[in-house]
Coordinates of all heavy atoms in Angstrom, one line a residue:
E1 N 15.8 3.4 4.9 CA 17.1 3.3 5.5 C 17.5 1.9 5.8 O 18.7 1.5 5.8 CB 17.0 4.1 6.8 CG 16.9 5.6 6.7 CD 17.1 6.3 8.0 OE1 17.7 5.8 8.9 OE2 16.6 7.4 8.1
I2 N 16.5 1.0 6.0 CA 16.8 -0.4 6.3 C 17.1 -1.2 5.0 O 18.1 -1.9 4.9 CB 15.6 -1.1 7.0 CG1 15.4 -0.5 8.4 CG2 15.8 -2.6 7.1 CD1 14.2 -0.9 9.1
N3 N 16.3 -1.0 4.0 CA 16.4 -1.7 2.7 C 16.2 -0.8 1.6 O 15.1 -0.5 1.2 CB 15.4 -2.9 2.7 CG 15.5 -3.7 1.4 OD1 16.2 -3.3 0.5 ND2 14.8 -4.8 1.4
H4 N 17.3 -0.3 1.1 CA 17.3 0.8 0.0 C 16.6 0.3 -1.2 O 16.2 1.1 -2.1 CB 18.7 1.2 -0.2 CG 18.8 2.4 -1.2 ND1 18.3 3.7 -0.9 CD2 19.3 2.5 -2.4 CE1 18.6 4.5 -1.9 NE2 19.1 3.8 -2.9
F5 N 16.6 -1.0 -1.4 CA 16.1 -1.6 -2.7 C 14.7 -2.2 -2.6 O 14.2 -2.7 -3.5 CB 17.1 -2.7 -3.2 CG 18.5 -2.2 -3.3 CD1 19.4 -2.6 -2.3 CD2 18.9 -1.4 -4.3 CE1 20.7 -2.1 -2.4 CE2 20.2 -0.9 -4.3 CZ 21.1 -1.3 -3.4
L6 N 14.1 -2.0 -1.4 CA 12.7 -2.4 -1.2 C 11.7 -1.6 -2.0 O 11.8 -0.3 -2.0 CB 12.4 -2.4 0.3 CG 10.9 -2.6 0.7 CD1 10.5 -4.0 0.4 CD2 10.8 -2.3 2.2
E7 N 10.8 -2.2 -2.8 CA 9.8 -1.5 -3.5 C 8.6 -1.2 -2.5 O 8.1 -2.1 -1.8 CB 9.2 -2.3 -4.7 CG 8.2 -1.5 -5.5 CD 7.8 -2.3 -6.7 OE1 8.3 -3.3 -7.0 OE2 6.8 -1.8 -7.4
L8 N 8.2 0.1 -2.4 CA 7.2 0.5 -1.5 C 6.1 1.2 -2.1 O 6.3 2.0 -3.0 CB 7.9 1.4 -0.4 CG 8.9 0.7 0.5 CD1 9.7 1.8 1.2 CD2 8.2 -0.2 1.5
K9 N 4.9 0.9 -1.6 CA 3.7 1.6 -2.1 C 2.9 1.9 -0.8 O 2.5 1.1 -0.1 CB 2.8 0.8 -3.0 CG 1.6 1.4 -3.5 CD 1.8 2.6 -4.4 CE 0.6 3.2 -5.0 NZ 0.9 4.4 -5.9
A10 N 2.6 3.2 -0.6 CA 1.9 3.7 0.6 C 0.6 4.3 0.2 O 0.4 5.0 -0.8 CB 2.7 4.7 1.4
H11 N -0.4 3.9 1.0 CA -1.8 4.5 0.9 C -2.2 5.1 2.2 O -2.4 4.4 3.2 CB -2.8 3.4 0.5 CG -2.5 2.7 -0.8 ND1 -2.7 3.3 -2.0 CD2 -1.9 1.5 -1.1 CE1 -2.4 2.4 -3.0 NE2 -1.9 1.4 -2.4
T12 N -2.3 6.4 2.2 CA -2.7 7.1 3.4 C -4.2 7.3 3.4 O -4.7 8.4 3.2 CB -2.0 8.5 3.5 OG1 -0.5 8.3 3.3 CG2 -2.2 9.1 4.9
V13 N -4.8 6.2 3.7 CA -6.3 6.1 3.7 C -6.8 5.1 4.7 O -6.0 4.3 5.2 CB -6.9 5.7 2.3 CG1 -6.5 6.7 1.2 CG2 -6.4 4.3 1.9
R14 N -8.0 5.2 5.1 CA -8.7 4.2 5.9 C -9.2 3.1 5.0 O -9.9 3.4 4.0 CB -9.8 4.8 6.7 CG -10.4 3.8 7.7 CD -11.7 4.4 8.3 NE -11.5 5.5 9.1 CZ -11.2 5.5 10.4 NH1 -11.1 4.4 11.0 NH2 -11.0 6.7 11.1
I15 N -8.8 1.8 5.2 CA -9.3 0.8 4.4 C -10.7 0.5 4.7 O -11.1 0.4 5.8 CB -8.4 -0.5 4.5 CG1 -8.7 -1.5 3.5 CG2 -8.5 -1.1 5.9 CD1 -7.7 -2.6 3.4
T16 N -11.5 0.3 3.6 CA -13.0 0.1 3.8 C -13.4 -1.0 2.8 O -12.7 -1.5 2.0 CB -13.7 1.4 3.4 OG1 -13.6 1.7 2.0 CG2 -13.3 2.6 4.3
E17 N -14.7 -1.4 2.9 CA -15.3 -2.3 2.0 C -15.2 -1.8 0.6 O -15.1 -2.6 -0.4 CB -16.7 -2.6 2.4 CG -16.8 -3.3 3.8 CD -18.3 -3.6 4.2 OE1 -19.2 -3.3 3.3 OE2 -18.5 -4.1 5.3
Q18 N -15.3 -0.5 0.4 CA -15.3 0.1 -0.9 C -14.0 0.1 -1.6 O -13.9 0.0 -2.8 CB -15.9 1.5 -0.9 CG -17.4 1.5 -0.5 CD -17.8 1.1 0.9 OE1 -17.0 1.5 1.8 NE2 -18.8 0.4 1.1
N19 N -12.9 0.3 -0.8 CA -11.6 0.5 -1.5 C -10.6 -0.7 -1.3 O -9.5 -0.7 -1.9 CB -10.9 1.8 -1.0 CG -10.6 1.8 0.5 OD1 -10.6 0.7 1.1 ND2 -10.3 3.0 1.1
A20 N -11.0 -1.7 -0.5 CA -10.1 -2.8 -0.2 C -9.6 -3.5 -1.4 O -8.5 -3.8 -1.5 CB -10.8 -3.7 0.8
A21 N -10.5 -3.8 -2.3 CA -10.2 -4.6 -3.5 C -9.1 -3.9 -4.3 O -8.1 -4.5 -4.8 CB -11.4 -4.9 -4.4
E22 N -9.2 -2.6 -4.5 CA -8.2 -1.9 -5.3 C -6.9 -1.8 -4.5 O -5.8 -1.9 -5.1 CB -8.7 -0.5 -5.6 CG -7.8 0.4 -6.3 CD -7.5 -0.1 -7.7 OE1 -8.3 -0.9 -8.3 OE2 -6.4 0.2 -8.3
L23 N -6.9 -1.5 -3.2 CA -5.7 -1.4 -2.4 C -4.9 -2.7 -2.3 O -3.7 -2.6 -2.2 CB -6.1 -0.9 -1.0 CG -6.7 0.5 -0.8 CD1 -7.1 0.7 0.6 CD2 -5.7 1.6 -1.3
L24 N -5.6 -3.8 -2.3 CA -5.0 -5.1 -2.0 C -4.8 -6.0 -3.2 O -4.3 -7.1 -3.1 CB -5.8 -5.8 -0.9 CG -6.0 -5.1 0.4 CD1 -6.9 -5.9 1.3 CD2 -4.6 -4.9 1.1
K25 N -5.1 -5.5 -4.4 CA -5.2 -6.3 -5.6 C -3.8 -6.9 -5.9 O -3.8 -8.0 -6.5 CB -5.7 -5.5 -6.8 CG -4.9 -4.3 -7.2 CD -5.5 -3.6 -8.4 CE -4.6 -2.4 -8.8 NZ -5.2 -1.7 -10.0
D26 N -2.7 -6.2 -5.6 CA -1.4 -6.7 -6.0 C -0.7 -7.6 -5.0 O 0.3 -8.1 -5.2 CB -0.5 -5.6 -6.4 CG -1.0 -4.8 -7.6 OD1 -1.6 -5.4 -8.5 OD2 -0.7 -3.6 -7.7

C-alpha cells in the first residue's frame, strides 16, 4: 500500500546458522 512498485521477498521462518546464507545471499 505504501510503495506499489517495491520488490518484496518474504520468508516465514526462523533465521538460523543453517539457513542464513541462503536467506541473505541477495
